[in-house]
Amino acid sequence: FTGNGPFEYRWTGPAGWTSTQPNPIVTPPSAPGSYTYSLTVRHADGTCAAASGSTTVTVGQLAGTSTVS
């Protein structure tokens, strides 16, 4: 997204996580799995179309832990 701001940011993620910061700090999920985070950016005055994207983060089993089935 290019141009002069201000811009509004809307992040969403697992377990209801949200943020309106441009570069939020994310606490990684504690359980192994795949988690999707999405971002929508738009100009604060609404004059431009919004841009959206998402990414999936895969968290593996942490070292020194075991899984009991």
Side-chain angles (χ1 to χ4, degrees):
F1 214 73
T2 61
N4 295 323
F7 298 109
E8 293 179 349
Y9 302 86
R10 169 110 173 112
W11 288 91
T12 59
W17 178 84
T18 63
S19 178
T20 57
Q21 299 298 312
N23 296 301
I25 295 173
V26 177
T27 301
S30 58
S34 293
Y35 302 91
T36 300
Y37 293 86
S38 299
L39 169 64
T40 299
V41 180
R42 70 180 193 101
H43 197 277
D45 68 7
T47 59
C48 299
S52 299
S54 64
T55 189
T56 300
V57 176
T58 301
V59 177
Q61 186 163 333
L62 302 174
T65 62
S66 60
T67 302
V68 178
S69 301

